Amino acid sequence: MDVPFAKMNGLGNRIIVADMRGRGDSVSRQAAVALNADDATRFDQIMAIHDARADGTDHYIDILNSDGSHAQACGNGTRCVVQALSAETGKARFTFQTPGGILSAEEHSDGMISVDMGMPRFRWDQIPLAEEFHDTTGIELQIGPIDAPVLHTPSVANIGNPHAVFWVDADVQTFDLVRFGPLLESHPIFPEKANISIANVVARDHLVIRTWERGAGLTEACGSAACAALVCAARVDKTDRAATVTVPGGDLKLEWREDNHIIMTGPAEWEFSGVLDPQTGQWRRDDPGREAK
Ligand SMILES: N[C@@H](CCC[C@H](N)C(=O)O)C(=O)O
């Protein structure tokens, strides 16, 4: 039976929110391939809303990357889920169980949405890495010629999902992330692969990043990568604990609170709604009158 869905985005991170409540299945890999084959529904992540599976939570959220792999966290996608559920219920606060843990989120009166992305983890076996590194603020990894690496010594963090952040003092757009990203994403040092970001600290309260996402490739925004860049910078005093992180799609406001929780605030945008078959990916619009603004 078909399910309602919304095509949305979080600063250009292409999100499909699928309403799987009341069903025992999730969106199939076949459906993901079919949706990605259509320009209108091509996505970076699918956020599948399921009935709650843990006390004190509103829903379980399953996260699918565009290559069919499952992710543990999706900051931009979580904001889209909040906006969709808030429009349906009139509620502003939600608690979700995700594969990466329990997330709380709130939609503010100005439409911005804050997500508590939980606490970062920095131990080598929490990222995870394939070998022991005592100092994860900069691990031995580089790309390019041995004597003149293009990118090297990344910081690593787990934000529910694994991240590597390479620091540069140049425009992040000038690095060939399309070439380097897939090589680094699947580097043997990352047994669960990794999201690869290039980060430029432009001020103590402002970073600019660009991300090659695990399982999705180059995206306009990656919320968990923005969180990784901030905490990796702040833990070595490159920045303060609160900063704006600029991604190609726009700005996110982040705060790494003293209680070790990371709060990410940003927008979500509805594009169109429809219904889809979660097994085949066949879909149709159901609300032609309510086109994106
Ligand atoms: N775009 C997401 C991250 C989605 C998951 C990531 N590709 C992974 O597999 O770890 C975000 O906004 O956090």
Side-chain angles (χ1 to χ4, degrees):
M1 187 176 81
D2 288 354
V3 300
F5 80 94
K7 176 69 172 52
M8 304 181 74
N9 74 81
L11 292 179
N13 196 186
R14 301 169 302 183
I15 302 293
I16 285 180
V17 177
D19 184 352
M20 299 298 286
R21 286 174 285 189
R23 295 184 60 122
D25 57 345
S26 196
V27 179
S28 73
R29 189 181 287 261
Q30 176 191 344
V33 170
L35 290 165
N36 248 334
D38 186 327
D39 287 343
T41 52
R42 186 162 295 120
F43 66 89
D44 298 315
Q45 280 82 35
I46 294 177
M47 305 295 285
I49 302 173
H50 293 270
D51 296 324
R53 297 177 186 172
D55 292 346
T57 62
D58 294 292
H59 300 287
Y60 177 78
I61 308 293
D62 192 28
I63 304 167
L64 209 61
N65 284 313
S66 56
D67 72 349
S69 62
H70 282 267
Q72 299 76 28
C74 181
N76 290 318
T78 302
R79 295 200 311 277
C80 291
V81 169
V82 168
Q83 189 186 85
L85 288 173
S86 177
E88 174 194 308
T89 65
K91 280 179 54 177
R93 290 193 173 98
F94 297 91
T95 302
F96 302 130
Q97 180 187 13
T98 69
I102 303 292
L103 300 181
S104 61
E106 177 181 3
E107 184 175 50
H108 305 292
S109 55
D110 64 357
M112 290 294 113
I113 297 157
S114 293
V115 180
D116 179 345
M117 296 292 288
M119 296 183 268
R121 293 180 289 171
F122 299 112
R123 260 201 356 250
W124 70 276
D125 56 346
Q126 294 174 322
I127 304 305
L129 300 177
E131 54 188 87
E132 186 169 357
F133 282 92
H134 291 297
D135 179 4
T136 56
T137 63
I139 70 169
E140 292 154 40
L141 178 61
Q142 68 180 51
I143 196 130
I146 290 292
D147 58 350
V150 177
L151 296 171
H152 64 86
T153 325
S155 304
V156 290
N158 185 288
I159 311 291
N161 50 8
H163 287 269
V165 182
F166 291 84
W167 305 104
V168 298
D169 288 323
D171 179 351
V172 295
Q173 296 289 343
T174 59
F175 294 82
D176 193 357
L177 199 49
V178 172
R179 183 156 69 92
F180 301 139
L183 302 174
L184 291 163
E185 171 192 356
S186 301
H187 191 284
I189 195 68
F190 302 121
E192 294 179 11
K193 298 187 177 182
N195 296 279
I196 306 299
S197 292
I198 298 174
N200 182 11
V201 176
V202 293
R204 287 194 61 85
D205 63 351
H206 189 196
L207 298 91
V208 180
I209 73 167
R210 188 163 172 248
T211 303
W212 174 275
E213 283 198 34
R214 177 184 69 166
L218 204 57
T219 63
E220 282 294 294
C222 182
S224 51
C227 297
L230 174 71
V231 296
C232 287
R235 74 187 287 232
V236 293
D237 201 30
K238 287 179 193 269
T239 65
D240 299 331
R241 294 174 70 96
T244 296
V245 178
T246 298
V247 296
D251 288 347
L252 288 166
K253 300 290 185 189
L254 283 109
E255 180 187 4
W256 184 16
R257 288 189 323 211
E258 293 303 326
D259 65 359
N260 200 26
H261 283 245
I262 309 164
I263 309 299
M264 173 185 63
T265 300
E269 182 180 10
W270 177 89
E271 296 174 20
F272 66 85
S273 297
V275 292
L276 72 86
D277 179 328
Q279 295 311 316
T280 67
Q282 291 183 324
W283 66 278
R284 68 177 188 280
R285 280 177 200 255
D286 69 357
D287 190 352
R290 188 185 167 209
E291 291 295 332
K293 295 180 284 300

